[in-house]
Amino acid sequence: METKIKVIMLTNLTETEQKVFQLIWYKKYGISRTEIVNKTKLSKATVSRAVDKLISNGFVVEGDAVPTTSKGRPQKLLVLRNDEILISGISIHSRFLHFVIGDLTGRLRYSENIPVDKNNVVSTIMDFPKYLEKNYNSLYKNIKVFSIVTPGQVDQTNMKVTGNFFSVEKDVYFSGLEDCWNILFKVENDVNALLSSQIMFGHLKYKNIFLIDSEFGGALVIDGKMVRGLNGGAGEFGHTQLIHDGPLCWCGKKGCVSNYFGADNLKSIFHSTIPASYMALFGRDFSVMLSELYNEKFSKEFCILYEKQLDLLADAIVDFLDLLCIDNLMLNTENPFFKDRSFEYISEKMRKTSGLKDKLKVMPLKIRKGIEIPLAISLTKFLGENIEI
C-alpha cells in the first residue's frame, strides 16, 4: 500500500527551495535533478536538499525514471503532487467577492461569486474560514494558502490596505485572519495580482515590464521582481500629473491621469465636437463612447481632438518608461483608450517618441475572466516572485 506523504506547509520556503520548485512547476511534464542543477547552477547537494524538502512537504513526487544508456542509477522525473494540496483566495469587487479553490498547477477546482454589501466586505472576509468550513468542509482542511486580492495600496508586512473603496476606515488590516486560521496568507493589490497572473499563467518572459490597467492603475516588475515601494503604492500611474492646471484630483494634485480622463473632464473637452445627447452618458460609458466614435472616424474635428488627448497620455507613459529604462509595456484593453484604433495610435506614438525607440514593445492585455488571479498570488507564497528565465 502506498504511504501517504504528510503535508506540512505552515512556513514559507527558502529562496533556494522556491527557485527549485519554480523550475519543477514550469516543467509540468517533469524534470530531473541533473537538469535542475544545470539550469540553476546550484550544487548537487543544495539541489538534493531542496528537492528532499519539497518531497517531504508534499509539493513534489518522483515519477518515471529517465531513460539513459549510461551506467549508474537512473534518475526519476520530479513532478507536482496535486492530490493533497489546495490553494485558495478571493478578489474583492464592488458588489461581490470572487472566490476560488485550485491546486498547485493553478488549475481551478471551484469558483463562486459571493454577493456582498459595500459596508460589510471586511467582516465577510474575516468570517471566511467559518464560511469555508461550513460550505467546503471536505476541501477546507487541504487549503494551505489563502490570498486576498484587493484595490488600494497594500503593505504586505502587516496586511494593511489603504485607499480602498469598501471601508469607511482609512486603513483596513487583514492580519486578524492569522489568529483563527493556521495557514499561510497573502494580501496583494489587484493590478500587481493581474500582472503576476500573466507572468505565471501567461508565461510572460520579461525581467522588466510595466502594466497599465483599465483604470490607469499600474504594476511594475524590474529585474524580475515586483516593485511595491515603501507603502505598496509604487507604479500607481493613475496619479501621474498630466497637466499642471487640470482638474483637482482627490489625491490633492491637479491634472492626474485618472482624473483628467474621467467623464466630467472629458465632457468639458469634447462638448463642442459631439451631439448634445451623448453628454447624458455617465462614467465609463462616456469614455467607451468616445473610443467607439474614434473607431468609426466620427468627424475630422473630433478625431483631431481625441488624438490630442492620446498624445498627452502617450507622452506621460513614455516619460515613465524612459525614466526607468523599461522596454516592455502591457496595456489592458478593457481601458477604452487602449482598445482597437486607440491602441494602434498610442502604440505608434510611443514608439516614435520613446528614447528606447524600436526596443519598446507594446502589448495588449486581453483578460478572459481573471478567475485565476487569486490562485497566482497564493502560488507566489511557494514559488516566490522572482522571474526565472
Side-chain angles (χ1 to χ4, degrees), residues 178-246:
E178 296 175 305
D179 298 331
C180 59
W181 199 7
N182 192 25
I183 64 172
L184 295 176
F185 288 95
K186 189 164 187 179
V187 182
E188 182 59 282
N189 164 268
D190 54 355
V191 187
N192 287 346
L194 176 59
L195 182 54
S196 292
S197 70
Q198 291 296 307
I199 290 170
M200 297 188 71
F201 301 133
H203 299 294
L204 289 177
K205 294 187 177 181
Y206 303 107
K207 287 261 184 178
N208 302 288
I209 188 168
F210 183 47
L211 163 68
I212 304 180
D213 199 23
S214 57
E215 302 294 335
F216 296 107
L220 181 63
V221 168
I222 295 180
D223 196 24
K225 181 74 175 178
M226 187 74 69
V227 178
R228 294 187 174 83
L230 183 61
N231 297 313
E236 185 54 71
F237 180 74
H239 291 289
T240 300
Q241 194 172 29
L242 204 61
I243 55 175
H244 294 287
D245 58 348

Side-chain angles (χ1 to χ4, degrees), residues 35 50 107 109 126 163 189 202 216 222 240 286 325 352 368:
E35 190 176 354
R107 182 182 62 178
R109 296 282 190 89
M126 298 305 288
N189 164 268
F216 296 107
I222 295 180
T240 300
F286 189 81
C325 294
K352 287 180 178 179
R368 293 170 296 170

